[in-house]
Each structure stands twice: as structure tokens, then as C-alpha cells.
Amino acid sequence: MTTTARNRMRLLVPAALAALAISATTAAAPTSSATTAEHTTTSQSHQPPAKSPKAMLDAWLRLWNGDLTQASGIISPDFTVHAALLDGGDGSSIRGADGLVAWIAQTRAAFPDLRFSLQIDPLVAGHRASVRWTATGTYADGFPGAKAHPGTVVTFTGTDTLRIRNGKFVEYWLNSDTLQFLTQLHAL
């Protein structure tokens, strides 16, 4: 096994979405002024915060399914991500609604039709909520090391745990099946 392969194996962690974001950043960063303007408008809109954890989680699912307008209503300016990224990072560079929207948009660039659905009802306890999901999407190309052909459908699972403060999400822990994801992309 080469050093590169060993390093890649060492970095395999439960963070498939984080892996998508890393690849999409290098492969499909927004280049048009319309995309930048759309991103700015989305993150600056003033929506009232969702009142119940259930409503917030519904908005969270819509956000990850591509409705980026949900972010400002449910994401705190202090929002932080905890995820083991393939580049060795911990997700702490993803901050606030703008950072999350950029991450989701970059993720969706590699998988434009990515759809998340809940496997079971969310769990809510005090100021924390957790959802177990399945994601399915069609690979559009651009993932480093992937040998899968564009058009390959991938399905993987994960769990999001979120902390709520003052009607908005302030922390996010991601745990997803990166091995399942990378195997389907023939990236191992």
C-alpha cells in the first residue's frame, strides 16, 4: 500500500458530507456573480426563527435538500461544525449561516440532486436534537480520487446532532458513513 493510499485510509472518518464539501470546494467553487449575489441575498434575509425543535429540524432537512433560504431562520451567527474532514480538519472553519450555505452549495455541486430523508423520527432532549438520515444522489464528477463514472447513484447514511440556543442551531456534529460513500465512488 502506498503512502498516499495509507493516508487516505487513515483519514476515512464518518463525515461523507464533509468529504463532499472538500471536493466540491476544489472542483466546483461558485464562479458566477449571480451565484455570489444569490448567496449573499440568501444569508442576509431576515426570517423569524422557527419556534419548535420539530419546525427547526424540518427546515434543516429542507436546507440540506437545497432550499438555502432556510439558513438565516435557523442558523445562529455563532454556528460551528464538528466533523472529521478528509483533509484532517475538524470543520471549525465552517461558521454561521454563510459558511453553512457555502458548504452545502459546494456539496451539492458534486451531487446536484442529493436528497436527504429521515430514517426515524428525530430525537429531541432539552437543547439538543438528533436526526438519522439517508442521502441519495447522482455523482456529477469532480471528487478527487473517484473512479466512478458521472451518473453513478450513491446512497449513504448518517446522523446529525444539533444544539439549539435562542431558537437557532448553534452547534452541529456530523457522523456519516464515509466508507460506504467512498466505496460507491470507487475512491478507495
Side-chain angles (χ1 to χ4, degrees):
M1 182 178 282
T2 67
T3 301
T4 303
R6 243 182 269 123
N7 286 341
R8 191 178 329 183
M9 291 297 290
R10 188 184 73 215
L11 294 175
L12 289 179
V13 292
L17 293 177
L20 287 173
I22 296 299
S23 67
T25 300
T26 59
T31 55
S32 74
S33 58
T35 302
T36 303
E38 194 176 285
H39 171 71
T40 302
T41 302
T42 298
S43 62
Q44 292 179 354
S45 64
H46 297 286
Q47 299 175 5
K51 298 298 179 200
S52 72
K54 166 85 171 93
M56 291 175 66
L57 290 169
D58 288 345
W60 177 256
L61 184 63
R62 287 192 308 274
L63 173 65
W64 279 97
N65 280 331
D67 182 0
L68 303 181
T69 63
Q70 298 296 313
S72 64
I74 60 170
I75 303 301
S76 167
D78 301 327
F79 181 81
T80 58
V81 173
H82 306 280
L85 304 179
L86 288 179
D87 70 352
D90 62 2
S92 62
S93 63
I94 302 166
R95 294 268 189 201
D98 288 341
L100 182 61
V101 165
W103 188 34
I104 292 170
Q106 292 166 350
T107 299
R108 298 185 67 77
F111 296 85
D113 65 347
L114 190 61
R115 300 302 300 168
F116 291 83
S117 59
L118 298 185
Q119 288 184 336
I120 59 171
D121 290 336
L123 300 172
V124 178
H127 297 291
R128 288 188 172 69
S130 188
V131 294
R132 176 74 180 163
W133 48 260
T134 298
T136 301
T138 307
Y139 178 52
D141 206 9
F143 190 92
K147 295 178 185 96
H149 297 288
T152 299
V153 175
V154 298
T155 299
F156 56 100
T157 59
T159 302
D160 293 350
T161 302
L162 300 135
R163 185 169 64 89
I164 303 165
R165 184 179 68 217
N166 298 327
K168 294 200 174 190
F169 294 122
V170 292
E171 275 187 285
Y172 169 38
W173 292 266
L174 170 64
N175 183 349
S176 61
D177 191 343
T178 303
L179 180 59
Q180 181 183 28
F181 168 74
L182 292 174
T183 299
Q184 292 173 73
L185 286 179
H186 305 285
L188 298 176

